[in-house]
Each structure stands twice: as structure tokens, then as C-alpha cells.
Amino acid sequence: MPPIRDIPAFAEPVYVSKPVMPNLEDYVGGLTRVWESRWLSNSGNEHKKLEEQLLAYLQTPHLSIFNNGTTALTVAIHSLRLQGEVITTPFSFPATTHALAWNGIDPVFCDIDDSSMNIDPGRIEELITSRTTAILGVHVYGVPCEVEKIQAIADRHGLRVIYDAAHAFGVGIGETSIGNYGDISMFSFHPTKLFHSAEGGALTYRDENLRDRINLLRNFGIKNEHEVIMPGINGKMNELSALMGQHVLVLVDQEKAKRKKIREQYQSELKGVEGLRLQQRCSDVQTNDQYMVVRIDSDEFGVSRDKVYDVLREHNVYSRKYFYPLISDYPCYRQLATADPGNLPMAAKVSSQVLCLPCYGDLQCEDVSKICAIIKSSRD
Ligand SMILES: *Cc1c(COP(=O)(O)O)cnc(C)c1O
């Protein structure tokens, strides 16, 4: 390895992700349709089309699109009339727990599994009380939760199951698309995600009876011109985003294939480096390579995750500490009994080790090599 001082910084910043951009002329062509229709929101043609296309792509019985994933998740929780306590993971993006808080629910933090970094099913049951109404899992980095075990626990205790599938667009277990597990799954279409609509999100669900309720909650609870029947919110996706989504959707498989190659290159260049742990793939899971995460054990590697992050930054590489800090360490949650670090030893360890590296289709092979060299040389 060259000494770190001999590796020049990137001339332009390299971010952790870059959104897929459709061909501009194609998008403008679609915009002409929107202009002529003079219909910009409230279930227009583009909205209908995107919902149909996503329904086919995600292979779930029902799907409702939203203006973002956070509103969608908040509505999902509300639609199931959850109350009391919900068991969830502290190793996620803030929105996961915030969506519970906005529903007046007390989050209960459960430790995570060392290998999958998802909620540990072996630790869920001890957290169930008479107030528990659901389990909210997150398929972190697109790696599925242990869905069968979680469902069995939920069935034994009469609980609902919701998944934050914001990282899991296009993921499947065997032949089953990830959106078919639990009662409801939420997808985010933020530009940092594999599939996006500038901003957007969706809920997928199997129970047809949820459909009217979710769609009413998405639109202020307005049933018709004379009746507003529940305290809904504004969760509607506008036509410009719905059009964007259609144009990005056709590029998703290609982007996924490119990211797979990039991940494989990272894996091969970083393999065997002492103190670096790469994510293992399960054979029956179709992943989406939305993120390239590496775990750094400071004792074995020689320097800490934070040091590697700083050295990358000095070289104009913007890696991200997803997810640090833990949600249970935020001032708004740390007073909760289950936020005690003693309850979450694995989450604390993982959160201090993880680093997400740049991973997007346009990233060049030589850039990946250089990023790997910087990481390996950061011990100098
Ligand atoms: C991105 C993300 C969200 C939020 O989605 P938005 O569409 O940005 O509201 C929620 N949970 C996780 C795990 C995410 O990564």
C-alpha cells in the first residue's frame, strides 16, 4: 500500500450515493403531458400509472404511494390503530422511531443481531408487556429481518408487524418480494435510495380491508365532498414526482446490476484485511446493493471507524456513519428504560463500527480501488 500522504485527494467530492437520473428529454416529454392536463396532484394519471407499475414491480397485492416514506410509515402505524408500546430497533434512521412518537406510542428498543444488524428476534419476547401492540422491524441495508421468527412471535402474542423497508426496494426472499411480509411494509423513494421519485414513498400490504383506510388517511380523511370521516394527513404524491418515478423505475435493474459489481469489487479489494468485516450474503436472498457497508474493529484494524471516516474526508470522500448515533441515544428517547446502553450492547458495538462507502452506478472501478487504498492506508 502507498503511504497515505502519497494518495492524492479526489478532485471532486465523492458522495456516498448519487441518485439515478432519467434522460432529461424523456422526462420533459412526459412533462408535456402533465402541462396539458393541468392536473398536478390528487391521484392524477401519472400517480395512477406509477402505482400500477410499482404494484407489478414489487409484486404485492396492494400498494399506496405517498409523498415520502416517513408520512407513509406514520400512516401505516395509524391505520392499524396501534397504541401503547411498539418494539423496535435503535439501529435505524430517525424516521423509524419518530413515526411511533407521532402516533403517541412509546418505543421499546430491542437489541440487534451481530450478523444481520437487524432486530434480534431472540430478544423480542422478553420486552413484550400488556401494552405491546406491534413489532416494527427495519430491513437494514436491504438485508431482510428474520421474518418467519418475527411473525411467529407476533402470532403467539397477538401483535401486528410493520417493516420499514426503506432500504429494501427490489429485495426478495426466495421468490417472495420483501413487501409481502408482516401487515404493512414501508418503502422510501428518497433520492438516496435505489429507486426514487425525487421524494416519495409507498406502503405495501396484503389485507384488502386496509386499502380504503390507508388511502383515506393519505388524503385528510376526505371520503367525498360532504364527508370527512377520520383525522387524515396530506400524504399525496404529486404528478411531477410520479412521473419521475416512472422514468427512474425503468433504470432500476440496470442500476442494481452496476451496484452489484461495485460491491463485488469492494469485497474483493477489502477481503482478508484484518479488522475489516464485510457483509455476508444469504444464498436465498435477492439483495439490492443499495449500500456498501464495512465494519471496522478498531482493536484489530489498528485505527477507529471515526479515524477512517476522517481520512476519507481529507481525501474528499464522504462516507457515512449509518447508523450512528443510535436512535436510543437521541435526547428525545434516551430517558426510556429500554434506551439504556446496557439493554443494547450489540447495537452500541455495531453503531461504533459501521461505515457506508460510496456506492452508485456511475462510480468508476479506479475510484473504488482508490477508496480501498485510502482505507487500508489510514492505519499509517
Ligand atoms: C430514508 C429512510 C426513511 C425515511 O424515508 P423518507 O422517504 O426520506 O421519508 C425511513 N427509514 C429508513 C431506514 C430510511 O433509510
Side-chain angles (χ1 to χ4, degrees):
M1 270 306 118
I4 191 71
R5 62 182 174 279
D6 291 349
I7 306 178
F10 282 89
E12 297 292 327
V14 180
Y15 296 109
V16 77
S17 181
K18 251 189 196 175
V20 174
M21 295 303 283
N23 177 289
L24 183 58
E25 275 153 40
D26 290 352
Y27 184 68
V28 171
L31 277 182
T32 314
R33 246 175 16 233
V34 176
W35 249 247
E36 283 165 1
S37 73
R38 287 203 143 190
W39 191 298
L40 298 177
S41 191
N42 292 49
S43 290
N45 283 329
E46 307 308 327
H47 182 283
K48 279 183 206 135
K49 259 194 232 166
L50 181 63
E51 253 184 13
E52 280 163 21
Q53 291 171 5
L54 286 171
L55 205 51
Y57 192 93
L58 294 174
Q59 292 170 21
T60 63
H62 304 287
L63 177 142
S64 302
I65 56 177
F66 280 79
N67 50 7
N68 61 62
T70 306
T71 310
L73 186 59
T74 306
V75 165
I77 294 162
H78 195 90
S79 74
L80 295 174
R81 301 179 167 87
L82 302 182
Q83 296 176 334
E85 296 172 356
V86 169
I87 297 169
T88 190
T89 171
F91 189 67
S92 185
F93 186 71
T96 312
T97 304
H98 288 349
L100 294 171
W102 275 77
N103 276 285
I105 289 168
D106 296 327
V108 171
F109 295 111
C110 178
D111 206 4
I112 62 172
D113 175 74
D114 185 34
S115 156
S116 68
M117 300 182 252
N118 290 329
I119 192 166
D120 181 353
R123 297 285 315 275
I124 292 176
E125 269 181 305
E126 66 201 60
L127 296 168
I128 295 175
T129 71
S130 58
R131 296 184 66 225
T132 311
T133 54
I135 300 164
L136 170 54
V138 182
H139 305 301
V140 177
Y141 314 126
V143 174
C145 290
E146 291 189 65
V147 290
E148 307 292 348
K149 284 190 192 164
I150 291 171
Q151 194 60 55
I153 295 166
D155 290 345
R156 263 202 299 284
H157 298 273
L159 306 178
R160 298 288 207 157
V161 178
I162 297 182
Y163 287 111
D164 176 336
H167 295 184
F169 191 87
V171 167
I173 304 175
E175 295 297 302
T176 310
S177 157
I178 198 73
N180 290 297
Y181 295 97
D183 293 284
I184 306 181
S185 295
M186 176 279 279
F187 292 86
S188 163
F189 305 155
H190 187 265
T192 53
K193 310 301 190 313
L194 176 71
F195 167 74
H196 73 88
S197 55
E199 287 266 11
L203 296 179
T204 61
Y205 43 98
R206 287 172 298 173
D207 181 1
E208 168 142 40
N209 295 320
L210 277 175
R211 190 188 175 83
D212 283 349
R213 190 165 160 76
I214 285 174
N215 290 347
L216 277 165
L217 286 170
R218 178 173 69 178
N219 187 31
F220 310 99
I222 297 174
K223 187 178 176 194
N224 56 44
E225 280 183 61
H226 315 287
E227 293 170 283
V228 177
I229 60 173
M230 55 183 84
I233 197 165
N234 183 357
K236 303 187 305 294
M237 183 186 281
N238 70 68
E239 291 289 278
L240 304 186
S241 280
L243 180 68
M244 186 73 165
Q246 292 168 43
H247 285 277
V248 173
L249 189 60
V250 295
L251 301 173
V252 159
D253 288 343
Q254 189 188 327
E255 175 70 12
K256 236 167 104 170
K258 287 186 189 167
R259 290 189 187 201
K260 180 164 184 278
K261 281 208 169 132
I262 287 163
R263 185 182 61 80
E264 285 166 358
Q265 192 191 339
Y266 271 122
Q267 304 267 124
S268 85
E269 296 206 21
L270 296 176
K271 203 170 70 187
V273 177
E274 206 186 340
L276 290 190
R277 186 160 154 194
L278 304 165
Q279 215 170 13
Q280 299 306 315
R281 301 283 144 146
C282 314
S283 56
D284 64 335
V285 173
Q286 304 145 40
T287 50
N288 64 2
D289 300 306
Q290 183 168 291
Y291 296 95
M292 170 63 215
V293 65
V294 60
R295 277 170 67 177
I296 299 162
D297 180 320
S298 54
D299 291 338
E300 286 177 27
F301 186 64
V303 297
S304 66
R305 181 272 315 270
D306 290 351
K307 168 76 179 169
V308 177
Y309 171 90
D310 289 342
V311 172
L312 284 167
R313 193 69 169 256
E314 284 158 17
H315 288 78
N316 225 357
V317 179
Y318 289 69
S319 63
R320 295 297 298 265
K321 301 174 194 176
Y322 292 146
F323 292 103
Y324 171 87
L326 291 174
I327 299 177
S328 48
D329 287 334
Y330 302 169
C332 49
Y333 299 121
R334 68 178 169 221
Q335 78 291 352
L336 295 170
T338 54
D340 187 316
N343 176 50
L344 308 163
M346 197 55 75
K349 183 181 97 176
V350 170
S351 177
S352 73
Q353 296 182 334
V354 283
L355 196 61
C356 282
L357 305 176
C359 184
Y360 50 86
D362 288 345
L363 192 65
Q364 304 299 306
C365 299
E366 46 290 8
D367 297 341
V368 174
S369 290
K370 187 163 151 179
I371 293 166
C372 292
I374 296 169
I375 293 170
K376 288 190 248 183
S377 303
S378 65
R379 292 172 290 188
D380 296 353

